[in-house]
Amino acid sequence: MKLGVNIDHTATLREARYRGLPDGEPDPIKAALACEAAGCYGITAHLREDRRHILDEDMDRLAAALKIPLNFEMANTPEMVSKALKLLPTSVCLVPEKRQEITTEGGLDVQSQQASIARTVQELQAAGIEVSLFVDPAPEVVRASIDTGARAIELHTGAFAEGFGEAVSRRREIQRLVEAAELGHQGKLKVNAGHGLNYLNVKGMHEVPWLEELNIGHSIVAHALFVGFDVAVKEMLRLIHPVG
Ligand code: PXP
């Protein structure tokens, strides 16, 4: 499994003090470069419609500065599709977006938006961008994702993370992830996972087959406040690739 670090919350901290002002700190690009130097596989950033953390210029600077893959997380809107086509990141992860949510709360409702998602997938993939759909680990959503022509899915691990402290829900959620990953793999999708993963629960991902990338944000940024990004990323890498 490869590690993608989501650096959105470095921008959340900057915006808390510097909204609308130039030269704010911390600079998310500096954080991304520190994660790159620590050996992560890629960087994820979510440009939200309300620009509450990552800003348009952050995306431009990330695309210019990074040597590792940039995963552009975005809603399926004409504005964001046109941004992605200009930015040409390695990948786009399509996510649902609600204004009032604190973070991305659920997976995409692929079935009810199948035609529109399929059009976006086709447009972005024709430009050489790998498209991943952020979905709940439910068989009907994985099947609908395969039908859109997307190359990848990212399984939403939020329910797993929430239930991690309790054996029955932990087992149930792992089982859902295992079945969704199997189904995605059979449908020739690349299978990624993310949301709510941390230094404690990430070990559960070793039980899920076919996972290629884990996208982790909040927990790494929070830990980095105390130990710095170099140590925070390396500690997570050790958990993802245990030795021996
Ligand atoms: N993957 C996706 C698609 C997300 O929306 C998020 C949250 O922005 C993450 C991964 C990372 O979640 P967390 O910050 O809880 O690690």
Side-chain angles (χ1 to χ4, degrees):
M1 289 185 289
K2 300 171 189 157
L3 173 64
V5 181
N6 179 320
I7 44 101
D8 291 348
H9 294 315
T10 58
T12 304
L13 185 55
R14 176 193 62 192
E15 295 303 299
R17 169 61 71 90
Y18 285 92
R19 189 131 193 98
L21 299 172
D23 305 323
E25 61 180 6
D27 180 7
I29 287 72
K30 220 167 139 182
L33 291 173
C35 295
E36 177 179 89
C40 72
Y41 163 77
I43 296 293
T44 295
H46 184 178
L47 184 64
R48 294 185 79 103
E49 187 195 3
D50 62 7
R51 309 300 198 266
R52 72 171 71 152
H53 40 50
I54 294 290
L55 305 176
D56 297 65
E57 52 269 34
D58 295 326
M59 292 306 305
D60 296 338
R61 290 173 61 224
L62 281 170
L66 289 173
K67 292 191 201 71
I68 56 177
L70 172 63
N71 178 35
F72 178 12
E73 215 184 291
M74 57 177 242
N76 178 23
T77 62
E79 183 202 9
M80 291 300 158
V81 170
S82 107
K83 288 241 166 254
L85 291 171
K86 283 201 197 89
L87 208 61
L88 297 177
T90 305
S91 54
V92 154
C93 181
L94 291 181
V95 298
E97 210 176 283
K98 293 191 216 115
R99 272 181 188 225
Q100 302 308 326
E101 69 190 0
I102 292 173
T103 179
T104 315
E105 280 165 6
L108 274 175
D109 181 356
V110 183
Q111 295 104 308
S112 78
Q113 302 161 33
Q114 190 136 7
S116 149
I117 291 175
R119 266 197 308 279
T120 298
V121 164
Q122 208 274 332
E123 204 176 346
L124 296 179
Q125 288 186 168
I129 304 168
E130 175 183 281
V131 181
S132 156
L133 307 182
F134 186 48
V135 293
D136 291 326
E140 61 284 4
V141 193
V142 176
R143 281 191 208 100
S145 302
I146 297 168
D147 292 342
T148 65
R151 304 240 167 80
I153 47 173
E154 179 170 328
L155 297 174
H156 195 311
T157 49
F160 158 77
E162 267 172 39
F164 186 75
E166 208 269 306
V168 173
S169 37
R170 182 165 69 233
R171 282 260 48 88
R172 184 189 61 231
E173 294 303 328
I174 286 273
Q175 197 48 37
R176 290 179 72 215
L177 288 163
V178 168
E179 285 166 17
E182 288 287 3
L183 197 57
H185 179 74
Q186 281 163 24
K188 306 211 169 1
L189 295 176
K190 174 177 166 189
V191 184
N192 304 326
H195 201 95
L197 296 176
N198 61 32
Y199 292 86
L200 202 61
N201 66 27
V202 73
K203 63 174 179 269
M205 294 302 103
H206 291 290
E207 295 179 50
V208 182
W210 311 117
L211 291 182
E212 291 197 29
E213 287 169 32
L214 299 182
N215 286 310
I216 308 181
H218 189 106
S219 180
I220 291 178
V221 173
H223 194 41
L225 285 175
F226 299 102
V227 301
F229 276 101
D230 186 58
V231 172
V233 168
K234 284 178 177 157
E235 279 184 27
M236 189 58 85
L237 284 171
R238 271 198 292 279
L239 296 171
I240 293 177
H241 312 134
V243 243

